[in-house]
Amino acid sequence: MEQYEPERLSAPQLAAMRRSLRDGRGALTRRSLLRASGTAALALGGLGALSACGIPPAKREEGAAASDDRSAAERQINFSNWTEYMDVGEDGKSRPTLDAFTKRTGIKVKYTEDINDNVEFFGKIKPQLAAGQDTGRDLVIVTDWLAARIIRLGWAQKLDHANLPHAFANLSAQFRTPDWDPGRAYSYPWTGIPTVIAYNEKATGGRKVDSITQLLDDPRLKGKVSFLSEMRDSVGMTLLDMGKDPGSFTDADFDAAVGRMQKGVDTKQIRRFTGNDYTADLSKGDIAACVAWAGDIIQLQADNPAIKFSIPSAGYITSSDNMLVPAHARHKTNAEKLMDYYYELPVAARLAAYINYVCPVDGVAGELAKIDESMASNTLILPDKAMAAKSRSFRSLSSEEETAYEEKFAELIGA
């Protein structure tokens, strides 16, 4: 049995997380700034909890230690998710897909929108996980880097794929083999989050912008370019443009990518590094072109037809939010049934039509077209084969690598 010592977060890691809370994706609901009623209420106390000492070594076996599964006797699930990440009925209160699941199975779902940020949420559940206790949650959704950490610490239960026939069959190829969960032994994606290039066609004079090279080298874009303040997105896209694989790069590759962006800063080609706040500048044309999150672009385009996006020929970065069953959850089998339910094509289509992020379910286009034909043809929601083939993930980092990389990136962006 292998033992895993808890990882303490370094100062650069903590600074990066605070930056994400303040102005990155974590600062907003999953429907983005344009549909959010305001920024999420965030508790930075979770950051301190992550770095606290006194967490006992976690055990990593074939899966986390599981409490007795009471699914058969207790027909219920406690499900924690992000805000605005589930379909809502016309009455503004009902949850059509969850209601249909309960009607079909008799399993009641206690659905709680209590995830505002990965760090904050981990701060809530870490004490119970570290103590070998039930968190009170049977299913949670967290972003890939945190999913990797929870799995690495031995705090996620290994899934029984016999309970996941739709998920196993319908999972899109681009999400099947993350390096942090080979074979999807512990997780299945809820949705994908692509990082693309966006531009305002009026601000570029009608020119298409479709590469990091253009962003960094085109003199006509000088001072009207922005990159993201999330290290994995900006460095990952730059690595791809340099012909490097974000899934297997070296320290030297990372340094070269940072150096390339540093030149853009020094020459004032890059105006600034941003969180979601690039959206207003892009709409106005103050930013002509930028590295952007696809979910934002879908919503910007609804109000401004001049907003375009492109997928670089070199590829693009995709992260994901993922379903996990925490250690000692009381209703693991019920949770697996709900996970599998969201990989049924009609259900996946209903969810995708509401949340507008990449659907990880293969073959859903026909069902989505019944709801909205424009969504079914939108490659930011349903990537076609050519686009999916260009998707790349940023590799998992050791704690030492993350510390070193975040420190260098923070110096680059002046954070």
Side-chain angles (χ1 to χ4, degrees), residues 73-141:
E74 300 175 2
R75 306 292 286 168
Q76 64 187 67
I77 302 168
N78 296 315
F79 182 7
S80 285
N81 201 352
W82 298 76
T83 56
E84 308 249 12
Y85 227 15
M86 179 66 71
D87 57 300
V88 177
E90 292 183 2
D91 59 5
K93 297 179 181 179
S94 61
R95 308 277 186 186
T97 56
L98 285 178
D99 294 343
F101 174 80
T102 297
K103 184 177 181 180
R104 181 202 294 184
T105 64
I107 299 171
K108 296 181 179 179
V109 182
K110 181 182 178 182
Y111 183 74
T112 308
E113 292 180 320
D114 61 345
I115 306 180
N116 293 313
D117 173 80
N118 288 288
V119 177
E120 178 196 19
F121 181 66
F122 190 55
K124 291 180 184 178
I125 64 175
K126 178 187 64 63
Q128 289 94 343
L129 292 171
Q133 299 171 353
D134 176 20
T135 66
R137 298 165 175 87
D138 302 303
L139 188 64
V140 301
I141 293 180

Side-chain angles (χ1 to χ4, degrees), residues 36-274:
S37 59
T39 55
L42 303 173
L44 284 173
L47 295 171
L50 275 174
S51 59
C53 56
I55 305 175
K59 297 178 180 180
R60 174 78 178 273
E61 305 175 20
E62 285 301 304
S67 59
D68 293 335
D69 189 352
R70 305 185 187 187
S71 291
E74 300 175 2
R75 306 292 286 168
Q76 64 187 67
I77 302 168
N78 296 315
F79 182 7
S80 285
N81 201 352
W82 298 76
T83 56
E84 308 249 12
Y85 227 15
M86 179 66 71
D87 57 300
V88 177
E90 292 183 2
D91 59 5
K93 297 179 181 179
S94 61
R95 308 277 186 186
T97 56
L98 285 178
D99 294 343
F101 174 80
T102 297
K103 184 177 181 180
R104 181 202 294 184
T105 64
I107 299 171
K108 296 181 179 179
V109 182
K110 181 182 178 182
Y111 183 74
T112 308
E113 292 180 320
D114 61 345
I115 306 180
N116 293 313
D117 173 80
N118 288 288
V119 177
E120 178 196 19
F121 181 66
F122 190 55
K124 291 180 184 178
I125 64 175
K126 178 187 64 63
Q128 289 94 343
L129 292 171
Q133 299 171 353
D134 176 20
T135 66
R137 298 165 175 87
D138 302 303
L139 188 64
V140 301
I141 293 180
V142 294
T143 304
D144 44 20
W145 67 264
L146 180 55
R149 181 181 293 271
I150 291 172
I151 292 168
R152 186 166 62 246
L153 290 169
W155 291 345
Q157 294 194 48
K158 192 169 186 178
L159 301 174
D160 182 352
H161 287 279
N163 294 327
L164 295 157
H166 295 96
F168 183 81
N170 295 337
L171 177 61
S172 296
Q174 73 180 98
F175 295 102
R176 283 190 176 271
T177 55
D179 67 349
W180 48 269
D181 186 16
R184 289 290 179 182
Y186 297 89
S187 69
Y188 269 90
W190 182 252
T191 194
I193 307 166
T195 302
V196 299
I197 290 177
Y199 60 99
N200 184 319
E201 200 171 40
K202 288 184 179 179
T204 64
R207 297 189 311 279
K208 182 178 183 179
V209 181
D210 61 2
S211 71
I212 296 296
T213 292
Q214 273 182 279
L215 291 180
L216 292 174
D217 296 341
D218 187 341
R220 295 170 294 183
L221 297 176
K222 184 173 181 178
K224 303 189 77 175
V225 167
S226 68
F227 277 63
L228 292 168
S229 58
E230 295 285 350
M231 181 263 289
R232 288 168 175 80
D233 295 296
S234 288
V235 173
M237 293 290 280
T238 305
L239 284 167
L240 282 167
D241 191 71
M242 296 168 59
K244 302 296 183 180
D245 182 358
S248 61
F249 63 88
T250 65
D251 288 349
D253 295 333
F254 182 90
D255 289 346
V258 170
R260 190 149 183 243
M261 285 184 283
Q262 184 66 60
K263 181 180 178 182
V265 171
D266 294 341
T267 61
K268 302 191 184 305
Q269 179 79 7
I270 297 176
R271 181 172 181 150
R272 61 191 183 105
F273 289 82
T274 75

Side-chain angles (χ1 to χ4, degrees), residues 270-390:
I270 297 176
R271 181 172 181 150
R272 61 191 183 105
F273 289 82
T274 75
N276 287 83
D277 50 321
Y278 69 84
T279 55
D281 285 345
L282 182 63
S283 249
K284 290 186 295 184
D286 292 340
I287 290 293
C290 61
V291 179
W293 288 307
D296 293 331
I297 303 311
I298 293 172
Q299 294 161 39
L300 283 174
Q301 288 178 324
D303 295 322
N304 188 344
I307 303 301
K308 308 292 182 181
F309 79 92
S310 62
I311 303 299
S313 60
Y316 66 102
I317 294 292
T318 300
S319 56
S320 58
D321 283 337
N322 307 272
M323 297 180 277
L324 295 175
V325 178
H328 304 284
R330 293 164 60 96
H331 310 107
K332 175 176 178 283
T333 298
N334 290 344
E336 289 168 338
K337 290 179 179 178
L338 184 62
M339 293 170 71
D340 192 63
Y341 170 73
Y342 278 100
Y343 275 78
E344 295 181 18
L345 301 186
V347 182
R350 176 64 189 254
L351 182 66
Y354 185 81
I355 65 176
N356 294 174
Y357 283 86
V358 168
C359 180
V361 182
D362 198 21
V364 78
E367 293 293 335
L368 188 55
K370 295 176 185 178
I371 301 171
D372 188 326
E373 289 187 4
S374 67
M375 287 187 178
S377 61
N378 190 329
T379 55
L380 292 181
I381 297 175
L382 294 182
D384 56 25
K385 289 185 178 179
M387 180 172 169
K390 294 180 180 179

Side-chain angles (χ1 to χ4, degrees), residues 1-44:
M1 184 184 301
E2 191 173 1
Q3 299 288 320
Y4 286 77
E5 293 292 340
E7 299 167 84
R8 299 180 184 180
L9 295 188
S10 65
Q13 288 172 303
L14 289 170
M17 289 178 177
R18 289 190 179 97
R19 188 169 67 246
S20 180
L21 288 174
R22 184 180 65 246
D23 57 16
R25 276 194 288 122
L28 304 169
T29 69
R30 287 314 209 218
R31 300 275 282 178
S32 98
L33 181 63
L34 299 182
R35 295 188 185 181
S37 59
T39 55
L42 303 173
L44 284 173

